[in-house]
Amino acid sequence: MVSHKIIILVALPVFCALSLQLKENYPFSHFPMYGNPTPVSQYYHLTDGEGKPLPIATLTGKTAPKLGKMLRSYRDERMKEIKPKVKDLSKEDWALVCQKVLDYLRQQAAVKHMQLPAKMKIMSTEIRYADGKVVETPEVFFAEP
Amino acid sequence: MKALFRRAWDAFLPIPNVDQFEAFLTRAFLAAILHRFLPQEAMDAVAQPKPVGLAHLMDLTWLSQPQPYAIFHFVFLVIAFLYASGIVLQMTLPVLTLLHLLPYTLLNSQASPHHGYQIISLALVGMSVVAVAQGLSGKGQPWPSLKHLLITVILAVVTTVLFDRFMMMRGAGETIAQWIGAMFGAQGPSYVFSLLRIVVFTLLAKALTEYAMKDEKRCLPSPLLNAYLLIAAQFMIGGAYLVSVCSKMQMSKGQWLVNSHYVALDFVKTMRQSYYSALDPKFAQDPASVLFLMSHENLARLFFGGGVLLETVLILAVGTRWLALFFGIALLVMHSTIEELMTLTFPTNQYMDTLFYINVPFLIALAVAKGDDRKALLTRHSIP
């Protein structure tokens, strides 16, 4: 009979390798949170057409971090579809991705009997630590036409 | 040297002695944790835009419809009760695991993965594998008599029906809920009813366990199976923490520790994201502790590096008692510190660490045991 110690010692690297390979396939995950700390970071938030911030979690049940995750997730999906030779999507493809995310958020808002504005913007903010303080540079990432 | 290696190998990954009382407490507490985190109402996910795991094979959006979800919730509680009572774990554990996977797979199929529930699901998967493997090898838990099986199933169904339907239908539940609501606020009734259900479930499951212990035909899991189940849960939890370490090293190309002080910047990012989620002004300020960490790079490296070291070595505590307790407390301190610094909570991790590493059931069993029973709890299982 194989010792439980041998089983555990074999199972551990297998489990780790499998989790890293499967990435996000519930219940498996590669737990990427804070996996690559860098001097510059970025976050997204939602505003109405005039640039007034919208409480995304209150309106859709999806939190602001999920907005960034959705953008990355749909971006990866789009990259797979078009298989570009460059590392990032074109402006047109990003617009498609962002619109898809906003459509999904509208669907989720409807489930919660909420309504999102007819026109929304996704804001992207670069955040960095310089000269003893946090510096933020916001820009419009996508605006619904 | 050889003797030293031999001693180290012998001490490595021991099999603990887990008596029936400790095993019952573990099952009851785990069932309570499952109940605590299971969504009480239908999910709000009406689509699965980016399916993961089981969602590749099936459409899980039925969990967002109130009626099907109510049935699912009912079945889940019945199975959780059966698991807590310790009956045919090679059947109840895999079913419970499958049921537990469904809502969280749907949640994670929304194109924005959530990392809150994997730790519970993975522990369940590990325990299911052990229960099934032991069952298939012929050394697992024997089937109880049909009479005992029927009594347990009927009791599980009746208890769940009583709490989910009967009280509400009679209006008694609503009246009591109004009183509790008046005393403890809007969330009060939900918490009190959950607590009541857990207490009644636990007492009934305990009564069934005691009843089963009186006759071999009622077949509780053997002490060795109980020990393997504890080891499996600890392994999966420790393994999940280790995966996060591997991921950090892979994503940062081995530079994580050197750059770890920048994690403090991510804390600020998390605060901003918390603010923009609900425009809550309490998240509009930069916490002084985070700014302090960013301006003291080496201190930040020491702080974050300590956490990663703990996640790395946690697996060494599998099967141990006191080392697991020490690491469990350290994990709770780590999560509490992160919660304080960046308002990022890990409730499921904290519950699972408390149950399987701090090992509260063991501590309770040790406190109430006397004489030889107490000594037995502190020894290893005789299987090498």
Side-chain angles (χ1 to χ4, degrees), chain B residues 87-335:
Chain B
I87 203 161
V88 278
L89 293 183
Q90 62 267 47
M91 287 290 289
T92 52
L93 257 175
V95 175
L96 188 62
T97 303
L98 180 67
L99 292 177
H100 188 259
L101 290 179
L102 299 181
Y104 303 115
T105 301
L106 178 61
L107 179 72
N108 273 24
S109 296
Q110 304 304 306
S112 53
H114 186 278
H115 298 102
Y117 303 100
Q118 283 88 347
I119 200 102
I120 302 179
S121 290
L122 286 171
L124 282 172
V125 167
M127 290 194 291
S128 295
V129 169
V130 164
V132 171
Q134 288 283 302
L136 291 176
S137 71
K139 295 174 203 152
Q141 188 181 2
W143 280 75
S145 66
L146 188 63
K147 183 182 156 198
H148 180 61
L149 190 65
L150 279 175
I151 288 173
T152 312
V153 171
I154 289 168
L155 201 57
V157 171
V158 169
T159 314
T160 310
V161 167
L162 276 176
F163 270 83
D164 264 6
R165 302 277 178 270
F166 183 71
M167 279 181 74
M168 291 301 163
M169 276 167 59
R170 285 289 186 90
E174 274 132 9
T175 311
I176 297 166
Q178 281 171 5
W179 293 342
I180 300 165
M183 282 189 286
F184 300 107
Q187 290 297 311
S190 159
Y191 286 130
V192 171
F193 277 118
S194 292
L195 189 67
L196 252 178
R197 184 153 47 201
I198 288 166
V199 169
V200 173
F201 266 42
T202 306
L203 289 176
L204 281 171
K206 172 68 182 149
L208 272 171
T209 310
E210 293 283 341
Y211 168 71
M213 280 168 76
K214 289 178 183 159
D215 187 344
E216 278 186 6
K217 286 177 192 161
R218 291 164 193 158
C219 301
L220 283 172
S222 68
L224 187 60
L225 178 58
N226 288 332
Y228 282 154
L229 290 173
L230 174 62
I231 285 177
Q234 288 179 330
F235 170 80
M236 295 305 278
I237 294 168
Y241 279 103
L242 189 60
V243 168
S244 88
V245 175
C246 296
S247 205
K248 285 180 179 79
M249 296 309 152
Q250 189 187 45
M251 290 169 74
S252 66
K253 297 184 171 65
Q255 295 299 301
W256 197 90
L257 208 57
V258 178
N259 295 330
S260 60
H261 58 289
Y262 293 129
V263 172
L265 189 66
D266 282 325
F267 287 7
V268 179
K269 176 178 134 179
T270 304
M271 291 291 283
R272 296 289 186 278
Q273 288 174 321
S274 298
Y275 171 73
Y276 283 115
S277 286
L279 302 183
D280 186 341
K282 80 175 175 193
F283 296 116
Q285 307 293 326
D286 289 335
S289 50
V290 171
L291 295 173
F292 176 81
L293 280 175
M294 278 197 285
S295 57
H296 295 80
E297 295 180 7
N298 285 330
L299 195 67
R301 286 189 187 109
L302 196 69
F303 176 72
F304 296 122
V308 167
L309 182 67
L310 176 63
E311 290 180 325
T312 309
V313 299
L314 182 62
I315 202 80
L316 296 175
V318 169
T320 63
R321 294 301 200 177
W322 303 117
L323 186 62
L325 172 66
F326 174 73
F327 281 172
I329 292 170
L331 281 172
L332 282 197
V333 170
M334 181 182 86
H335 285 305

Side-chain angles (χ1 to χ4, degrees), chain A residues 4-5 15 24-27 29-30 33-35 37 39 41-42 55-57 64 69-70 73-74 104 108 136, chain B residues 9-10 12-13 44 49-50 52-53 110-111 113 115 117-118 121 247-248 256 265-266 269-270 272-273 277 342:
Chain A
H4 75 284
K5 297 182 187 190
F15 173 65
E24 297 301 338
N25 255 304
Y26 198 87
S29 171
H30 59 139
M33 306 82 77
Y34 311 105
S41 196
Q42 187 187 28
I56 181 173
K69 287 180 184 178
M70 277 188 270
S73 186
Y74 281 120
Y104 171 78
Q108 286 303 120
E136 291 176 73
Chain B
W9 177 252
D10 287 343
F12 181 54
L13 299 171
D44 63 3
K50 198 159 190 299
V52 297
Q110 304 304 306
H115 298 102
Y117 303 100
Q118 283 88 347
S121 290
S247 205
K248 285 180 179 79
W256 197 90
L265 189 66
D266 282 325
K269 176 178 134 179
T270 304
R272 296 289 186 278
Q273 288 174 321
S277 286
M342 58 194 290

Side-chain angles (χ1 to χ4, degrees), chain A residues 27-97:
Chain A
F28 295 97
S29 171
H30 59 139
F31 301 107
M33 306 82 77
Y34 311 105
N36 190 17
T38 51
V40 183
S41 196
Q42 187 187 28
Y43 66 87
Y44 299 91
H45 71 275
L46 203 62
T47 73
D48 64 10
E50 307 301 315
K52 191 179 160 200
L54 294 170
I56 181 173
T58 314
L59 294 169
T60 69
K62 300 292 164 195
T63 56
K66 286 198 163 66
L67 178 61
K69 287 180 184 178
M70 277 188 270
L71 286 168
R72 285 187 288 277
S73 186
Y74 281 120
R75 175 201 64 191
D76 293 347
E77 191 180 84
R78 183 70 186 147
M79 297 267 271
K80 267 187 195 167
E81 278 170 17
I82 57 174
K83 296 187 176 101
K85 283 172 188 164
V86 288
K87 279 189 176 175
D88 203 357
L89 294 178
S90 66
K91 207 174 170 183
E92 291 75 26
D93 280 319
W94 261 120
L96 279 175
V97 164

